[in-house]
Amino acid sequence: MKRAAFNHRLLPVALLVPQIAIIAIFFYWPAWTAIQSSFYLEDPFGFGSTFVGTDNYTRLFASSEYLKVAQFTILFTVIITVFALGAALLLAVKADKVLRGARTYRTLLMWVYAIAPPVAGFIGVMLFDQNIGPMTDLFNWLGHDYRLGLNYMDTAFAMTITSIWIQIPVNFIFFLSGLQSIPQSVKEAAMIDNASPTRRFWETTFPLLAPTAFFLLIINITYALFDTFGVIDTIVYGNPASNPMTLVYKVFVDGFRGNDIGGSSAQSVVLMLLVLGLTIFQFRMLERRIHYT
Amino acid sequence: MTDTTLSMPVQVAPRGRRIRLSVIGDHFVLILGALFMMAPIYMTLTTASHENLTIHREGLQFLFGGELLNNFDAAMFGQGGFSGEITGMSMLKNSLILGMGFALGKIVLSMMAAYAIVYFRLRFATFAFWVIFTTLLLPLEVRIVPSYEVITGLGLANTYTGLIVPLLASATGTFFFRQYFLSIPEELVEAARIDGAGPVKFFIDILVPLSRTMIAAIFIVMFVYGWNQYLWPTLITTDEGLYTLVRGIKQIRQSLAESNQIPAYGQAMALSIIAILPPVLIVVFLQNWFIKGLVESDK
């Protein structure tokens, strides 16, 4: 905190009030409502609700459907994180290395960042469409009868690859800026010490990139859990029931389509705890890093 | 913070044939990556230049046809939706309002809050900090059902306020400006005080002009973020007059899924291009600012 501060009583309060008020009304109130209604069972016709204790939670974890969705979410998150980070790291290392056209490559590889997930999802639907999609043609040519929206695995494939596609640019930007902030002297010293480029990468570059990689790991997990909503919604449009979906999408489906407010709120609370755990993990790791370096 | 402008590094010149081959390999990987990123959008654009019947019969197109202008014209000015009220133009206007409103709101609110936290002796500064900080824990997607109920309860459904303000309830911008203000030398505020500048004058005449680049950078990132919002606009705007372009995509998805004639593929592809063009142009042409905003705001 700055030492030379202003001594005013009302001004700082006035400056903080708008932000705090918006957060209180649009953040704390809904979050509190979610926690509260996760312990109630709402009448489907809206005639009030009854306190049911932890029934919504036990119902949730006993539901095989919920566990199946949870399982899919974990798999989906792991695959997206691994591929989006891996591809972006490879491309960033190459873009950092080449002398010619570095700026052009950077532009070409990052601009997809600006595309909204649902628009990407819609383009995915077109590419994998039963009648007009070239990807479907490709699969058929390879001997697989591809059916988007009907076959669980086929839909999951389109969803995953579209989600990876829009996540590569942001990872690429962070990796490239991380690579370029490695001092030239370090790179040159590594050049002298170590002849093999592969060993040079794993022994010098990668450890220096580790903070960026860890930060991106968290970002990618959060992305796969929450921000893929638009992709999923456009791809499974019409029949979410038989199709793969993530935990966040299920909160939405149960809350709005199924009108199961209690169950949906319990799911919200479970996700809140998940994010809380993730954040605590992130902080612990950050602390550790500060201690050891 | 290290320098984040992505400058070209000085390379130690490699020698020999083997290295030459590895350079070709590098370019090959990069070109492949660029093709993977661009191909879907390229096909969206080429397909947008064909007639619906052609697309319906032959699938997505790899080459340009002659219908590009017609399809864009239809997507931009043709009446659509249930009430026949919405055009590409009206959705474009709403997207701009959402993007601009969100970015501006975010900057104003978070600069004010960060200023109060950094430059004043506040008894509850730490408390305020944590109240704001906690919002990072819960994305809107998680608390979507109760948020919807709160907003409709306040009568804010189908208003621009209901569309924009709830999205502002997060800490990202505040943290960004807090970090930035903390990096400004203390001598500056001391000098200003000696010269007799009060807190308001210091903020408006010194701090805001000093933060110009930061404001521009964060504006770009927030504009793209606001423009690309989907779930919230989908829930809160049932009135077609308030649809944004990204929200309109859902409408198109629906009409493709449910129509029993030949769907208007060309027009749908054209509208997709319109929905992605403004943020893409901003990201490409203001690239250095955008990267600065992105890399620094997320730290």
Side-chain angles (χ1 to χ4, degrees), chain A residues 1-2 5-6 19 26 28 94 105-107 114 132 165 180 184 215 226 233-234 237 268 272 275, chain B residues 6 10 26-27 60 117 119 131 137-138 142 151 174 181 184 193 228 230 250 253-254 287-288 298:
Chain A
M1 211 64 23
K2 302 239 169 188
F6 291 106
Q19 171 95 73
F26 301 113
Y28 283 104
K94 300 295 180 196
Y105 284 130
R106 189 183 89 181
T107 309
I132 63 167
W165 181 69
Q180 297 190 336
Q184 198 55 39
F215 162 79
F226 303 109
D233 194 40
T234 36
Y237 184 83
S268 287
M272 285 181 200
V275 186
Chain B
L6 304 179
V10 188
D26 292 346
H27 282 277
L60 297 195
I117 290 175
Y119 284 94
V131 165
L137 299 182
L138 290 186
V142 176
I151 308 302
T174 312
F181 290 163
I184 294 174
R193 279 176 62 177
N228 285 347
Y230 175 68
K250 195 185 172 88
R253 176 76 180 96
Q254 188 175 5
Q287 213 173 109
N288 290 334
D298 270 342

Side-chain angles (χ1 to χ4, degrees), chain A residues 95 98-109, chain B residues 8 27 30:
Chain A
V98 295
L99 295 170
R100 263 170 220 271
R103 221 192 127 83
T104 315
Y105 284 130
R106 189 183 89 181
T107 309
L108 293 182
L109 289 167
Chain B
M8 280 249 297
H27 282 277
L30 286 168

Side-chain angles (χ1 to χ4, degrees), chain A residues 1-9 11-16 18-20 22-23 25-31 33-34 42 90-91 94-100 102-103 105-119 122-123 125-127 129 131-134 137 161 165-166 168-170 173-174 176-177 180-181 184 187-188 191 197 215 219 222 226-227 229-230 233-237 248 251-252 255-257 261 264 268 271-272 275-276 279 283, chain B residues 2 6-12 26-27 29-31 33-34 36-38 40-41 43-44 55-56 59-60 62 109-110 112-113 115-122 124 128 130-135 137-139 141-143 145-151 154 156 165-166 168-170 174 181-182 184-186 189-190 193 197-200 202 224 228 230-231 235 246 249-250 252-254 256-258 265 268-269 272 276 279-280 283-284 287-288 290-291 294-295 298:
Chain A
M1 211 64 23
K2 302 239 169 188
R3 270 175 292 124
F6 291 106
N7 277 314
H8 244 271
R9 289 212 160 183
L11 188 64
V13 177
L15 287 169
L16 274 171
Q19 171 95 73
I20 302 272
I22 287 179
I23 286 178
I25 300 170
F26 301 113
F27 180 88
Y28 283 104
W29 186 7
T33 321
E42 195 122 338
L90 177 69
L91 291 168
K94 300 295 180 196
D96 184 45
K97 229 166 110 194
V98 295
L99 295 170
R100 263 170 220 271
R103 221 192 127 83
Y105 284 130
R106 189 183 89 181
T107 309
L108 293 182
L109 289 167
M110 64 168 264
W111 67 277
V112 165
Y113 172 88
I115 295 173
V119 182
F122 178 69
I123 293 171
V125 168
M126 294 286 97
L127 289 170
D129 186 88
N131 302 315
I132 63 167
D137 294 343
I161 199 152
W165 181 69
I166 29 167
I168 289 175
V170 67
I173 294 168
F174 275 95
L176 188 60
S177 100
Q180 297 190 336
S181 67
Q184 198 55 39
K187 287 185 194 172
E188 277 164 18
M191 277 280 202
F215 162 79
I219 292 286
T222 331
F226 303 109
D227 299 333
F229 183 93
D233 194 40
T234 36
I235 288 184
V236 304
Y237 184 83
V248 168
V251 170
F252 167 77
F256 286 102
R257 299 230 178 119
I261 303 292
S264 165
S268 287
L271 283 172
M272 285 181 200
V275 186
L276 193 70
T279 315
F283 272 85
Chain B
T2 42
L6 304 179
S7 57
M8 280 249 297
V10 188
Q11 293 273 331
V12 179
D26 292 346
H27 282 277
V29 170
L30 286 168
I31 290 169
F36 175 68
M37 294 318 285
M38 314 226 318
I41 306 300
M43 288 198 72
T44 309
I55 302 167
H56 186 65
L60 297 195
F62 291 91
L109 283 176
S110 52
M112 278 164 50
Y115 183 56
I117 290 175
V118 174
Y119 284 94
F120 289 86
R121 279 202 193 96
L122 266 176
F124 51 94
W130 280 101
V131 165
I132 299 171
F133 174 79
T134 318
T135 59
L137 299 182
L138 290 186
E141 283 82 2
V142 176
R143 53 197 159 85
V145 180
S147 294
Y148 174 79
E149 285 175 348
V150 165
I151 308 302
L154 292 169
L156 289 174
V165 178
L168 296 173
S170 85
T174 312
F181 290 163
L182 285 174
I184 294 174
E186 272 179 54
V189 64
E190 276 164 25
R193 279 176 62 177
V200 178
F202 174 73
V224 173
N228 285 347
Y230 175 68
L231 176 57
L235 289 178
V246 176
I249 293 295
K250 195 185 172 88
I252 288 178
R253 176 76 180 96
Q254 188 175 5
L256 289 196
E258 288 164 10
Y265 290 121
M269 293 310 225
S272 306
I276 63 185
V280 164
V283 164
V284 169
Q287 213 173 109
N288 290 334
F290 161 72
I291 291 174
L294 188 71
V295 174
D298 270 342

Side-chain angles (χ1 to χ4, degrees), chain A residues 52-115:
Chain A
V52 291
T54 54
D55 272 14
N56 287 323
Y57 292 94
T58 44
R59 185 159 56 98
L60 203 59
F61 289 109
S63 142
S64 65
E65 195 205 339
Y66 186 74
L67 296 178
K68 194 182 168 194
V69 171
Q71 208 178 9
F72 175 76
T73 309
I74 293 169
L75 197 64
F76 182 68
T77 307
V78 170
I79 292 175
I80 287 179
T81 307
V82 168
F83 282 93
L85 282 176
L89 181 60
L90 177 69
L91 291 168
V93 167
K94 300 295 180 196
D96 184 45
K97 229 166 110 194
V98 295
L99 295 170
R100 263 170 220 271
R103 221 192 127 83
T104 315
Y105 284 130
R106 189 183 89 181
T107 309
L108 293 182
L109 289 167
M110 64 168 264
W111 67 277
V112 165
Y113 172 88
I115 295 173

